[in-house]
């Protein structure tokens, strides 16, 4: 809205509009903010190596386990350059080291701390791309780096490559030619266990390491590089593996292995050789390393640049450590068992990975950029793009695994050197939406595990998974929230995929899971859980409470829909009946006038309850229902009021006065959302653990839910405060922690995009729709633009124009189980500045989509049939626009109400004459008139 | 000199005079500079706990091993305060936590990270005192802390107390009375091994921990507190021990043990209890903790403050872990053997330590402040006081030990969790001067070990020590510099103590050590070492070189003097003859016109030589000779020229272009002194390891040597650059690292004070003298003053006033084997601004001193007998001034020359009629007329 910019934000939102709604795809860091950055590079289930803020490689986590702080000695990039007539310069391609300079032995030699570096760097990140622009006027060239790993939603194979790609760009700044060598050095780490502290080439783990030069034709070019293997370990050993360092660049120099010498003579002789003339000498013949040591190899890319010339030098770093073993469980049945990595079933070794990447480099890069460009074209605030994209990285960190059988699994998060809280924890995975929406085929494998493996005949769901899937299940009492969440997730996977056979296969187990609830949590089937309810706070709630309660209601509603789709009408009616009793009782007994509370009843003296507290997660199940289009589980006005209360009471603009004896994720004058507060008193002496903590996964969940309810300012304030905490100075923007690094719960951030776009999809019905909560003012759609501001559409606004579609443009990435692309809408302006409707464009950029119905609307402007007429066209590459016959259809009648599904069918829109098939590159255009 | 302030500094010194010569006893830190501070609190051979910059307790190293980063959970100070009519506040007494906020699980609960803290703090350090001034206007009181451990030179017992003393000062800032409780909480860590990562009260190491309340009469007062013991371990177990937390403050509250409960309920219930009313409740009866957990106890000091009232609340933290075992050697004879701690022979447990401290608190504090006040009254630049005092702390860190037999031993430095490079390494201990001058009785035990244990019948000295001293010696080839250094150190201990019997006892071994040199390093006895010379760079030099060469010359000269004193005139003459040949050949063959080089001869192809390089340590032996008054070993003009070259070539104002493949102790735009450079080329491809490094121990040595040579600007520039590197942001000012934390070599900094004061002492001859290299301009002698500036006396200056004594005042701490005190001199101004002589005061503040001769002079103003007349008085407390009969005596004739001892006898001064005995409190006053 044009006047939105001048409108004050809601009370309690301590930002100005320009800050909160600022746009931009790239988040940039410099100076001290480079300090904490570690940007993960790697594929799904491959582990990662991270790019530090200064351009250094950190956290080598490619050895089948987390490795925070793991250093691979002597693995770095360096530049030699000589402008004609000048002395050469040689530099490590990193910005200068930053204080503090800790360590009892000075800064380590393993990271060549004493070699000269570049003065300054600016790091820009927009996952999956990282860029580092270096500044040092003493160099005759400018240097910048772009690093990434292919990330193509729906393409899990190409998004699961064990590789990091580095594109180095040099540009000659002199009036004379410049000769340069870009050198990549790498330790042959085959044999490394990912844990030992390596200080140099020497370690008992090493020996029989072999570096070889390989020149491999790839199309018309040749891939040149180093193949690094080990002969010390058998092919099934956990430490067995290989590395590859390669380039398709035609002019190379190199050192097959650094001098095998004592003290620091290895690195000294390398550096002296390199610094002298940028050409490297060394032995040509491969020779395994002696026992107790390995080799370092260097690949140099040689270039001559004319004045002003610019060139991009690609370096491929690939790895292959095929033997994932279960090191984390104590259970006899699985402990120490081999799981394998799925990627190793696709490529036999690291060199094969490098070759595959080189062969497909153009496409991998193009499709990854297409995703990135599509996502960042979304006209949502920069903080949302940052939250959404940065935390999507979690699925590619060591938090997640992909085992040889192709299934996707995940820890909750990571210790520094081991996964934390194995595996597939159902209640933590309640929050995540990124895998579900970007790689739904992988998410479905988790449902296969949930319902195909972990659901006992009694319906008790083991809420953690023992791997490998040899029949043993994890022994513990079930998690009420996790178990109910699984039913909702099954519903989501079904809707997103449209795969009713998938649903049919897993449905009996889901039904058992609900029957278990009827025996253990709701024996009187009044739709309200009671008794001991284990949950995501790792304790048991007793008595009716909104958190497990709303999850249960959501599961009942989802089950009703699924049962109906499978023809089990009677069962559907039973679920419905329980639901109807449930929401009424919950609403009646737990509403305190502002929000929902817990009634522990006779168990009030039990520790770890919240009683009359305001729980941030109280409507978690309702949020999930919003994401999957299940509509309201509780009265809409109560939902909105409760969210308002959560924001008012639990979100603190400063935590300076907050006193917590628990873990600390936000502090001092940082802002954050507390898990629970007691605004009316009544805090138990020992409230549930974590009550005083701040979890980003919940913050995103609540923020998205606020946005769904039109409380966009509040939602964005929460998002901004999270991202401000992860600012590079204080924390790593690509590693949100909770019970471990890269904590899975933070992938709830994907729901921010879903909420802002009001995305609705029903795969079985082939229906899609959007109901954006935001319109861009000024209409700027450039992904990199910092100018355009966005304004919230006030769902409850009373102003004449509030909630009217049409003012400004909106765009958003969207994805389903078969396709992803870009949605845009823009006002059709009439004379006098009033809108006469919407110009809509739905572009499929990847995959394929079949549509029977398409809808557009605002929840705030809810009313039947705002569209009076519609025109539709199909645009296909190289074809003339093709008019489509459509029928305008109204949305569902009346205001939102409890128990009414809120999928795309509820939006007013159009129905196509027949199923409309859109391939990648196709675009649907619609003009909808008011 | 008055005009000194306007004089430009020497070329190459990139500081202004005001910066370089600024005065001040306390170094202050705030904001980010608090980050790296860890100020060690503990006695000699007791281990330490450190006070962090924010006021927090860090690095618990009291468990017989280093413990960088070791946290004792729930051990912290807190304040509750309530101004009448206001709400109470409760705060952890620390400044706010500072970024980065790392860790996969947020900030830890063990350090109560989530409890509110104070807004800001300023940390001031002046070893052995640390002060923290807090600022937070939300508190009704101001809060400040002074922490220390008794440090009284010559009193090794009271300087070896296993205790940390905390004096908390509160001042009421309100117009109404304020009630307050200062609470000290402490984990009963008896049973802890100093290594395990503790996260809370629970660990398998714990169990049977017992907290008891003790009320012990101490004089008219009562020492109240917590005695913390364990019943789980036998009295000889390494983990056996006790802690005490006590106060003589009469009004206390407390919690014998926090609630033994799950999750964080222990800390939650403590905090809730404390925050409510500042009074603590809990069980009264002691009860051992269950297996696998220990208890936390809290001692609260209760006070009521009237408006404006100020009170100081003392807290004593004592520990007692008697069973030091050898965990560091692999040698069968000593591995795992018990050594014991000397302190445990003096006090039976921690409570006894606390009682002793309470009984003697007034004296311990007074005498420690007396030392501090005396040292900081020295009119030397602040950077020197900082370097001198901060590094004196090393002798009280875990780098050093005092075993049950009373001997003092030392690692070179510390790993994070273990000592590094055991034990008594002779070549590293060549640099140290602080123990030798402050606790010479302890230093002498090292000579007992060197010559009484480690010198084989062949004269081969094991340059490391195996403990316990069961007869086994360390097997390795000898260190040329270390072995010669030991002879020089024996000379120093003899001179400082005046104990010729001590010398006589060790002399035969020292003589064997030189005979060994004649067989192995100088078989032709030409006074120049050749062949394989192992040294402090951990490699072997070959052929003549100035570093081991000058040490050898120094040893020969020292041996000559010692042999003569013991009546072995013939042997003395032999040493002298070899010396005379030696210095001439060294000077002839190794002088390259600017500095001394190495001539590896036929071994030039050996790696790790320096050949034509400029070695910072080239005159290390000459520096030692200057410290002990042995005079010149090489021609004075060459010494000065070589030092000039070292400064010019090896000291870099910025290391940004420096390329080192070795360890990194200084980087980016920091300044530092490289160990070696090759200004004329000829750098070997593989120079000795460390050549490209920067070591503070060598920087101080070279700086002091420059000052001895009158190159004061240069010397101070080096000192300033070191201290600037250790600035709290980048590194901890109280932990200079080299091969480990608290690296012993850095105690060479004590020689800065010796050099600036030109202190000379000859115990056997009962002669003392001063020849300051510095005069204070403006005469300000206040230790805390920041105003007074000092000016170097230019030894080579040609100006009329240069080198003239008398302009300005000078004061310095001094110490001998039996006494310490303050020396002052001031000009006796005549009409016309010219000086007519010196007013001198020598005050004994501790111990006793016998003097037969006292001298004053400047090396630059060297000339026979500047004094024409003298008046002397003895001032004793309560007595009238007592005139003393003195005879004016000239200094030695002529300018300084090779081979001439430069002790106090060389200074012009006075001889007393008979031995003058000065007790603590006595003062000698002299007026010396030109």
């Amino acid at each position: 809205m044009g006047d939105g910019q001048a409108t004050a934000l809601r009370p309690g939102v301590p930002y100005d509009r320009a800050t909160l709604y600022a746009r931009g795809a790239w988040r940039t860091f410099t100076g001290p903010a480079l300090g904490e950055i570690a940007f993960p590079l790697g594929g799904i289930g491959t582990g990662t190596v991270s790019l530090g803020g200064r351009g250094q490689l950190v956290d080598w986590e490619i050895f089948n386990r987390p490795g925070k702080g793991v250093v691979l000695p002597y693995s770095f990039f360096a530049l030699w350059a000589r402008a004609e007539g000048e002395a050469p310069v040689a530099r490590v391609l990193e910005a200068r080291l930053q204080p503090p300079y800790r360590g009892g032995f000075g800064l380590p030699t393993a990271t060549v701390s004493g070699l000269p570096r570049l003065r300054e760097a600016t790091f820009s990140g927009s996952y999956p791309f990282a860029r580092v622009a270096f500044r040092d006027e003493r160099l005759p060239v400018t240097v910048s780096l772009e690093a990434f790993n292919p990330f193509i939603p729906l393409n899990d194979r190409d998004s699961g490559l064990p590789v990091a790609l580095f594109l180095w760009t040099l540009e000659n700044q002199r009036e004379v030619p410049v000769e340069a060598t870009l050198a990549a050095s790498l330790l042959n780490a085959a044999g490394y266990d990912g844990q030992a502290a390596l200080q140099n080439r020497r370690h008992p783990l090493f020996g029989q390491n072999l570096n070889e030069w390989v020149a491999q034709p790839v199309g018309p070019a040749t891939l040149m590089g180093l193949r690094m293997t080990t002969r010390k370990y058998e092919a099934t050993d956990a430490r067995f593996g290989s590395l590859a360092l390669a380039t398709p660049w035609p002019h190379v120099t190199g050192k097959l292995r650094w001098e095998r010498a004592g003290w620091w003579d290895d690195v000294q002789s390398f550096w002296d050789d390199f610094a002298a003339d940028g050409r490297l000498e060394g032995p040509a013949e491969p020779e395994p390393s002696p026992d107790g040591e390995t080799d370092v190899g260097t690949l140099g890319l040689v270039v001559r640049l004319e004045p002003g010339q610019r060139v991009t030098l690609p370096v491929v770093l690939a790895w292959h450590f095929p033997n994932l073993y279960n090191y984390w469980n104590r259970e006899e049945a699985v402990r120490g068992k081999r799981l394998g990595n799925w990627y190793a079933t696709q490529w036999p070794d690291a060199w094969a990975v490098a070759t595959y990447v080189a062969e497909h480099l153009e496409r991998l890069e193009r499709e990854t950029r297409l995703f990135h460009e599509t996502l960042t074209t979304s006209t949502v605030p920069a903080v949302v793009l940052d939250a959404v994209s940065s935390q999507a990285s979690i699925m590619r960190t060591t938090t997640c695994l992909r085992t040889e059988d192709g299934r996707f699994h995940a820890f909750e998060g990571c210790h520094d050197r081991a996964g934390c809280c194995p595996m597939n924890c159902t209640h933590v995975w309640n929050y995540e939406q990124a895998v579900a929406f970007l790689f739904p085929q992988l998410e479905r494998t988790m449902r296969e595990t949930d319902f195909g493996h972990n659901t006992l005949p009694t319906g008790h769901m083991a809420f953690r998974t023992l791997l490998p899937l040899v029949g043993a299940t994890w022994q513990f009492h079930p998690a009420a929230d996790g178990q109910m969440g699984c039913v909702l997730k099954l519903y989501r996977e079904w809707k997103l995929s449209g795969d009713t056979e998938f649903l049919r296969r897993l449905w009996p187990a889901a039904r058992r899971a609900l029957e278990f609830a009827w025996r253990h949590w709701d024996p009187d089937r009044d739709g309200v859980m009671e008794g001991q309810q284990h949950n995501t706070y790792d304790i048991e709630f007793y008595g009716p409470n909104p958190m497990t309660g709303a999850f249960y209601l959501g599961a009942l509603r989802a089950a009703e829909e699924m049962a109906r789709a499978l023809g089990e009408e009677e069962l559907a009616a039973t679920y419905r009946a329980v639901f109807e009793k449930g929401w009424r009782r919950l609403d009646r007994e737990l509403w305190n006038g502002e929000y929902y509370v817990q009634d522990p009843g006779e168990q009030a003296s039990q520790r770890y309850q919240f009683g009359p507290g305001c729980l941030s997660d109280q409507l978690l199940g309702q949020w999930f229902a919003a994401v999957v289009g299940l509509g309201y589980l509780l009265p809409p006005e109560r939902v909105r009021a409760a969210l308002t209360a959560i924001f008012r009471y639990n979100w603190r603009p400063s935590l300076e006065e907050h006193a917590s004896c628990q873990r600390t994720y936000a502090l001092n004058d940082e802002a954050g959302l507390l898990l629970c507060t007691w605004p009316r008193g009544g805090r138990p002496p020992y409230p549930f653990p974590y009550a005083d903590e701040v979890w980003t996964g919940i913050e995103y969940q609540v923020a998205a839910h606020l946005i769904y309810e039109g409380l966009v300012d509040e939602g964005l304030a929460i998002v901004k405060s999270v991202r401000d905490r992860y600012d590079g100075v204080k924390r790593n923007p690509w590693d949100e922690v909770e019970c471990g690094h890269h904590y899975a719960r933070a992938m709830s951030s994907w729901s921010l995009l879903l909420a802002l776009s009001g995305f609705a999809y029903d795969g079985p019905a082939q229906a899609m729709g959007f109901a954006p909560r935001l319109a861009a003012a000024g209409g700027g759609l450039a992904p990199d633009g910092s100018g355009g501001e966005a304004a919230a559409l006030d769902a409850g606004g009373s102003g004449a124009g509030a909630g009217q579609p049409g003012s400004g443009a909106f765009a958003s990435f969207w994805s389903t189980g078969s396709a992803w692309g870009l949605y845009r809408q823009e006002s059709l302006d009439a004379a006098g500045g009033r809108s006469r409707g919407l110009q809509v464009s739905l572009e499929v950029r990847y995959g394929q989509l079949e549509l029977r119905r398409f809808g557009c609307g605002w929840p705030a402007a809810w009313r039947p049939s705002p569209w009076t007429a519609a025109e539709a066209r199909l645009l296909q590459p190289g074809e003339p626009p093709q008019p489509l016959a459509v029928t305008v259809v109204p949305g569902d009648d009346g205001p939102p109400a409890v128990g009414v599904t809120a999928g795309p069918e509820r939006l007013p829109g159009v129905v196509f004459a027949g199923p409309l098939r859109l391939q990648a590159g196709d675009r649907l255009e619609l003009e909808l008139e008011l």
Side-chain angles (χ1 to χ4, degrees), chain A:
Chain A
M1 296 179 292
D3 62 343
Q5 297 177 69
T7 309
L9 295 178
R10 280 179 191 281
V13 178
Y15 301 104
D16 62 44
R17 184 168 298 273
T19 303
L20 207 51
Y21 286 83
R23 295 268 307 283
W26 295 82
R27 191 170 177 194
T28 63
F29 308 84
T30 193
L34 301 176
E36 294 302 299
I37 288 173
F39 183 101
L41 300 169
I44 296 170
T46 69
T48 59
V49 55
S50 287
L51 184 67
R54 299 182 296 99
Q56 80 279 28
L57 296 175
V58 297
D59 300 348
W60 289 83
E61 307 183 282
I62 63 177
F63 305 99
N64 290 314
R65 58 166 69 232
K68 292 304 168 210
V70 165
V71 166
L72 270 204
Y74 304 136
S75 300
F76 63 100
F77 291 96
L79 178 75
W80 175 91
R82 180 169 54 198
E84 208 172 82
E86 295 181 23
V89 290
R91 291 285 188 274
V92 175
L93 282 177
E94 298 174 9
R96 305 199 317 184
L97 296 166
Q98 295 189 342
Y101 307 129
R102 263 176 215 149
F105 298 79
L107 297 174
T109 56
T111 47
V112 292
S113 314
L115 291 177
R117 283 165 162 75
L118 305 179
R119 283 213 170 122
E120 291 178 322
T122 298
F123 186 101
S124 306
S126 184
Y127 195 79
F129 290 97
R131 293 174 180 169
V132 187
F134 297 96
R135 286 182 303 285
D136 193 330
E137 69 281 4
R138 297 165 301 178
L139 290 185
V141 293
T142 55
V143 185
S144 62
L145 166 66
E146 185 171 57
F148 70 103
N149 174 298
F151 188 90
I152 307 160
L154 297 174
N155 182 343
D156 52 287
R157 187 168 189 257
D158 288 334
S159 304
L161 280 159
V163 75
L165 296 172
F166 301 92
L167 305 177
W168 287 95
T169 298
L170 308 182
E171 185 171 329
N172 184 352
Q173 298 296 306
R174 293 283 193 275
E175 305 291 317
V176 293
V178 171
E179 292 187 327
T181 302
L182 175 90
S185 296
L186 182 67
L187 186 87
N188 180 340
Y192 179 51
D193 65 359
Q195 296 187 88
L198 302 177
Q199 300 190 320
N200 47 47
R201 294 184 302 108
R202 286 172 283 276
H203 196 278
L205 286 166
F206 295 132
Q208 296 290 309
N209 288 79
L210 188 68
N211 286 7
E212 299 167 277
W213 284 118
V214 185
Q216 169 125 16
V218 171
T222 302
L223 184 71
M224 290 285 301
L226 284 158
R227 175 163 59 203
M228 296 181 165
T229 55
T230 176
R231 295 176 177 184
K232 182 168 176 165
Y233 297 96
E234 295 200 4
T236 55
D237 195 289
R239 295 159 292 190
F240 176 82
S242 59
L243 293 151
L245 185 64
T247 183
W249 188 253
H251 311 294
V252 302
T253 182
K255 242 184 174 49
L256 181 60
R257 55 180 181 270
W258 289 7
E259 184 184 355
R260 292 173 181 163
W263 287 102
W264 301 293
D265 296 357
D266 41 15
V267 55
Q268 184 78 60
S269 62
F270 158 70
W271 187 255
D272 288 348
D273 183 14
F274 180 66
D277 61 5
R279 303 291 167 136
L280 295 166
E281 289 167 16
E285 286 308 307
E287 182 189 280
S289 66
D291 202 40
E293 57 182 276
T294 183
D295 287 315
V296 180
T298 303
L299 173 65
L301 285 62
V302 178
V303 64
R304 180 188 159 93
L305 292 162
E306 297 304 319
Q309 193 183 345
R310 179 189 169 99
V311 70
T312 294
L313 304 170
V315 176
V316 178
L317 168 65
W319 58 88
H320 197 276
F321 291 88
N323 300 314
L324 172 67
Y325 280 80
N326 183 329
Y327 62 81
W328 51 83
N329 278 122
R330 294 188 180 178
E331 285 81 353
E332 188 93 19
V334 297
R335 183 181 193 169
K337 291 276 194 307
R338 185 173 180 282
L339 304 174
N341 281 317
W342 183 78
Y343 74 73
T345 69
Q346 305 294 305
W347 299 280
D349 62 17
W351 187 263
V353 172
T355 305
Y356 176 86
V357 169
E359 279 169 349
H360 300 275
L361 189 55
E362 184 278 328
R363 178 182 60 79
L364 294 171
E365 187 178 334
R366 175 168 41 79
E367 292 183 349
T368 302
R369 291 196 195 281
L370 183 68
F371 162 64
H372 177 259
E373 189 261 327
T374 306
L375 178 62
T376 55
T377 297
S378 307
T379 57
V380 299
V383 290
V384 170
L385 276 184
D386 182 33
V388 161
S389 70
S390 65
Q391 301 316 301
S393 68
I394 294 169
M395 70 181 81
R396 307 219 291 182
T397 67
T398 46
T399 291
C400 301
L401 308 173
R402 191 171 188 191
T403 46
E404 210 166 63
D405 60 8
R407 290 195 187 204
F408 182 88
H409 306 283
F411 295 95
E412 293 182 19
C414 300
H415 290 278
D416 285 357
R417 293 286 190 285
C420 179
C421 319
M423 184 65 70
N424 296 10
C425 176
T426 58
H427 55 69
V428 171
W429 218 255
N430 276 344
Y431 296 75
E432 182 280 320
Q433 300 294 348
V435 180
F437 278 81
L438 295 175
F439 297 93
Q441 69 270 48
L442 295 181
E443 184 77 38
R444 287 199 298 277
T445 70
M446 298 190 82
R447 296 300 84 71
E448 300 274 2
T449 302
D450 289 339
F451 291 114
H453 183 270
N454 283 329
T455 309
L456 304 183
T458 60
H460 170 151
M461 294 183 76
F463 71 80
R464 298 185 187 279
T465 303
L466 294 181
L467 294 182
L469 299 173
V470 290
T473 54
W474 187 67
Q475 301 296 308
F476 197 73
H477 52 255
D481 54 347
Q483 182 146 343
M484 295 302 98
C486 283
V487 177
L488 277 161
K489 287 178 270 185
L490 179 62
Y491 178 81
R492 177 187 63 196
E493 271 62 272
W494 169 52
K495 286 287 175 181
L496 265 176
S497 67
D499 185 347
T500 303
E501 284 315 303
F502 163 82
L503 172 64
R504 198 181 307 277
R505 200 165 63 249
L506 299 185
W507 170 246
R511 184 176 157 170
R512 286 205 308 281
L514 275 167
E515 283 158 3
F516 179 90
W518 287 344
R519 284 197 307 282
H520 287 267
W521 292 310
D522 186 20
D524 57 4
R525 290 209 208 172
D526 68 352
V528 174
M529 278 195 173
E530 297 178 75
Q532 185 196 61
Q533 299 153 65
H534 188 79
N535 59 59
T536 203
Y537 313 120
D538 296 337
I539 44 75
E540 336 295 332
F541 282 159
Y542 293 91
N545 75 82
M547 194 269 214
T548 57
F551 253 120
Y552 179 37
L553 294 175
L556 288 166
R557 279 284 294 118
E560 176 197 349
E561 298 292 331
M562 293 188 285
R564 188 168 294 124
L566 296 174
E568 305 190 33
E569 287 292 343
E570 198 175 333
L571 186 57
T574 304
Y575 292 133
R576 182 66 183 210
V578 179
F579 167 78
E580 291 291 344
K581 278 195 276 188
W583 79 258
R584 287 187 172 82
R585 181 180 165 203
L586 214 61
D587 184 58
R588 187 173 62 241
E589 297 187 5
L590 301 186
W591 183 252
N592 77 349
E594 289 185 290
Y595 50 87
Y596 291 105
V597 299
Q598 179 196 14
D599 175 15
E602 292 173 5
Q603 309 287 340
S605 65
Q606 287 275 0
R607 292 190 175 192
Y608 317 133
Q609 309 304 301
F610 67 96
C614 178
L615 185 73
S616 282
D617 261 348
Q618 61 185 279
L619 293 175
L620 172 62
Q622 175 63 72
W623 161 80
F624 202 107
V627 167
V628 299
L630 269 176
Y632 284 95
L633 309 173
L634 288 160
E637 67 281 10
R638 294 276 165 88
V639 169
R640 190 178 155 106
L643 285 163
T644 304
I646 291 169
F647 182 78
R648 177 183 308 135
Y649 296 127
N650 294 10
W651 190 74
R652 300 283 163 87
S654 166
L655 290 159
E656 207 177 26
E657 300 282 342
H658 179 56
S660 164
C661 296
Q662 306 174 359
R663 300 169 303 181
T664 303
Y665 301 102
L667 67 157
N668 294 341
D669 48 10
E670 293 182 319
L673 183 79
L674 300 174
L675 260 62
C676 196
T677 65
W678 287 264
R680 300 177 170 199
R683 176 184 162 110
Y686 302 94
F688 69 94
Y690 317 145
D692 296 324
E693 299 183 358
V694 171
W695 293 356
T696 67
I698 292 180
E699 291 179 293
Y700 292 138
Q701 180 262 117
V702 169
H705 206 177
L706 283 161
I707 291 168
Y708 271 120
E709 289 298 321
L711 300 164
V712 182
D713 291 349
E714 289 86 341
L716 295 180
I718 293 177
V719 177
K720 174 149 179 62
S721 66
V722 180
R723 302 312 298 161
D724 281 353
R725 298 203 306 266
Y726 287 83
D727 67 351
V729 173
K730 297 185 284 192
R731 301 177 188 83
N732 177 10
W734 289 275
D735 176 12
E736 289 186 5
V737 305
E738 188 196 308
C739 195
H741 298 279
H742 308 292
Y743 198 75
R745 202 187 313 266
M747 283 193 283
S748 62
S749 66
W750 195 262
S751 69
L752 295 165
L753 192 65
L754 302 173
L756 283 165
S757 61
F759 178 64
Y761 182 68
D762 186 334
Q766 299 184 328
M768 182 185 276
F770 293 85
R773 266 60 168 181
L774 197 69
L781 291 175
D784 282 353
S786 59
E789 284 192 12
L793 290 168
D794 188 337
S798 57
Q804 293 289 350
S807 45
F810 176 80
S812 177
F813 173 89
W814 56 266
S815 60
T816 73
S818 67
W820 52 263
L822 187 70
Y823 171 75
R824 296 177 199 244
Q825 66 177 43
E826 204 164 348
S827 177
L828 287 169
D829 288 334
R834 284 202 56 85
S835 175
R836 58 178 178 87
L838 274 186
Q839 168 86 38
V840 167
S841 145
L842 181 77
E843 204 178 330
V844 172
R845 291 190 164 183
Y846 192 93
Q848 51 211 359
L849 184 67
E850 285 199 23
L851 283 185
R852 289 170 184 274
R853 178 178 177 132
F854 190 86
C856 294
W858 317 123
W862 207 273
R863 51 180 177 178
S865 190
W867 313 122
T868 56
E871 266 187 52
R873 287 181 294 280
L874 174 64
L875 284 88
Q876 292 179 304
E879 304 286 330
Q882 179 187 339
L884 296 170
V886 294
T887 312
V888 172
V889 289
D892 281 1
D893 280 351
V898 178
V900 178
T901 303
E905 299 84 352
R906 186 152 170 84
L907 297 170
V910 299
V911 169
F912 302 104
L916 174 67
R917 285 192 183 76
L918 297 165
Q919 304 286 338
D922 293 354
R923 192 167 71 203
L924 166 68
E925 281 189 358
L926 271 176
E927 278 166 30
L928 295 165
E929 288 183 30
L930 277 169

